[in-house]
Amino acid sequence: MKRAIVNIVLAGFFILVISVVFCWFIADLQFQQAKKMELAYLWGEAERRYNFAIKADPFSVEYIVGIANFLREKGVYHRDKILWLKNAEKLYERALNLNPYCARSAVSLGLVGLELFLSDKENFKDRFELGLDSFKRALKNDPKSFDISFSVGLKGLEFWRYLNEIDKEFILDRLKYSLKIKPEYDEYICLQVWGITKDAGILQKIRPVESVQAKKKKLEIIKKLKEEYRNRQPGWEGRANNGKDVYKDGNMYWSGTLNRIIIVPEGKAILNIQAKGSPANSV
């Protein structure tokens, strides 16, 4: 009798595990299909599959944020934009309730809050402060994320005229951090900042000292290279296939490695190259 009860319990547990795994599998399949439908602008089908995914797995923050992002983007193309934004806002809040440390959910909640404020400043005036608070929460949860700092910085620029001095410093600090992580974004970020603030002092403020020093060092290297090679004829050197025989400025197998023609990493160069050769081993 006891063995029969144990077997029934084990069988039930096994069926439960299989059911849960099956639900996870189906939910993920529907979620991935929904993203493809969204990209193809099949929004009705995408929404149906998103909803199926969060019903099959209601505790997945990824799925909840996914459909919230979808609703937020969909609202851009509809007259009742505010309704879509409010629905997205509820889902972001739900995601944060499931995982209070999800920085992506927090920054998305901040973005949708600011968009609601911009859509109706009278009825959603509280969303402005709530949006900024959500940004700060996201950065507290993930202070080293480039994506979050970059998103917060650029979105903050859109609301520059509504920011107090403390919040302006907060936004500039995130832009400065973004440039520190990815200096190659300098031109894009600075154009955005200049277009909104028209303040050269702010541009200097957000450019990290490290990038200025690095640029100065690079210019010094270029200057030194120019001076070194200005009075020298272009040359090259390489090795034969055996890796030992060295050839310089002529009489070099084509299969050798071209090492140097001219080393000046800026400007233009006109090279007059004359070459001839005949078949050789390994060529």
Side-chain angles (χ1 to χ4, degrees):
M1 184 65 178
K2 291 183 179 180
R3 179 175 293 179
I5 294 174
V6 171
N7 288 338
I8 291 172
V9 171
L10 289 175
F13 179 74
F14 178 75
I15 292 171
L16 178 62
V17 171
I18 293 297
S19 300
V20 170
V21 172
F22 181 74
C23 284
W24 285 345
F25 174 77
I26 294 298
D28 189 64
L29 180 64
Q30 291 295 315
F31 183 74
Q32 299 304 327
Q33 288 295 320
K35 291 197 292 186
K36 292 180 181 178
M37 297 293 179
E38 181 182 354
L39 291 174
Y41 296 99
L42 300 173
W43 288 342
E45 185 64 20
E47 187 173 0
R48 186 184 71 80
R49 291 177 183 268
Y50 275 130
N51 285 322
F52 185 97
I54 62 174
K55 287 179 181 177
D57 187 357
F59 302 106
S60 171
V61 172
E62 179 186 5
Y63 299 165
I64 295 169
V65 171
I67 190 172
N69 290 340
F70 166 72
L71 294 177
R72 182 171 148 238
E73 291 296 324
K74 189 176 178 182
V76 174
Y77 300 96
H78 286 75
R79 290 182 181 178
D80 49 353
K81 177 181 179 180
I82 289 177
L83 176 63
W84 294 102
L85 291 177
K86 288 177 68 177
N87 289 335
E89 183 181 48
K90 290 177 182 177
L91 287 168
Y92 289 132
E93 289 173 344
R94 175 178 165 184
L96 276 171
N97 287 331
L98 287 170
N99 182 4
Y101 301 101
C102 179
R104 187 170 53 141
S105 300
V107 78
S108 296
L109 181 61
L111 291 171
V112 79
L114 290 179
E115 287 168 7
L116 280 169
F117 168 77
L118 201 60
S119 299
D120 188 343
K121 299 181 185 65
E122 184 63 29
N123 291 317
F124 296 104
K125 56 185 178 182
D126 64 319
R127 295 304 200 281
F128 182 72
E129 290 298 331
L130 289 174
L132 292 176
D133 288 343
S134 294
F135 285 166
K136 292 170 185 177
R137 179 178 180 178
L139 289 161
K140 183 179 179 181
N141 290 339
D142 193 355
K144 295 184 178 180
S145 169
F146 167 80
D147 290 338
I148 291 176
S149 289
F150 185 64
S151 297
V152 167
L154 288 187
K155 197 64 179 180
L157 281 177
E158 293 182 30
F159 293 82
W160 189 255
R161 61 187 174 128
Y162 301 107
L163 298 175
N164 59 38
E165 292 304 313
I166 294 176
D167 289 331
K168 284 181 178 180
E169 288 298 321
F170 165 68
I171 295 301
L172 293 178
D173 181 70
R174 290 303 88 201
L175 292 172
K176 181 176 181 178
Y177 177 78
S178 299
L179 284 175
K180 180 180 178 181
I181 300 300
K182 293 191 176 182
E184 61 270 25
Y185 278 54
D186 181 271
E187 183 176 355
Y188 178 78
I189 290 177
C190 289
L191 282 174
Q192 301 299 317
V193 172
W194 176 255
I196 290 172
T197 68
K198 298 293 190 295
D199 189 334
I202 290 179
L203 294 179
Q204 292 297 322
K205 184 182 292 186
I206 67 172
R207 282 178 163 151
V209 175
E210 293 87 350
S211 66
V212 175
Q213 292 176 341
K215 186 174 182 180
K216 183 178 179 182
K217 186 175 181 180
K218 180 181 178 182
L219 290 173
E220 290 174 351
I221 292 173
I222 292 173
K223 182 179 178 181
K224 183 177 179 181
L225 288 170
K226 283 182 176 180
E227 292 173 352
E228 181 181 352
Y229 286 92
R230 184 170 286 114
N231 299 319
R232 293 177 55 179
Q233 293 296 319
W236 49 262
E237 64 182 36
R239 295 180 181 274
N241 281 342
N242 60 22
K244 297 179 181 179
D245 298 334
V246 178
Y247 299 88
K248 294 183 179 181
D249 299 328
N251 192 30
M252 170 180 159
Y253 289 119
W254 187 248
S255 57
T257 302
L258 185 63
N259 186 316
R260 178 178 296 166
I261 293 179
I262 203 166
I263 306 180
V264 180
E266 68 171 23
K268 298 180 180 180
I270 298 176
L271 304 177
N272 184 10
I273 300 175
Q274 295 179 340
K276 62 179 181 180
S278 57
N281 292 334
S282 302
V283 176

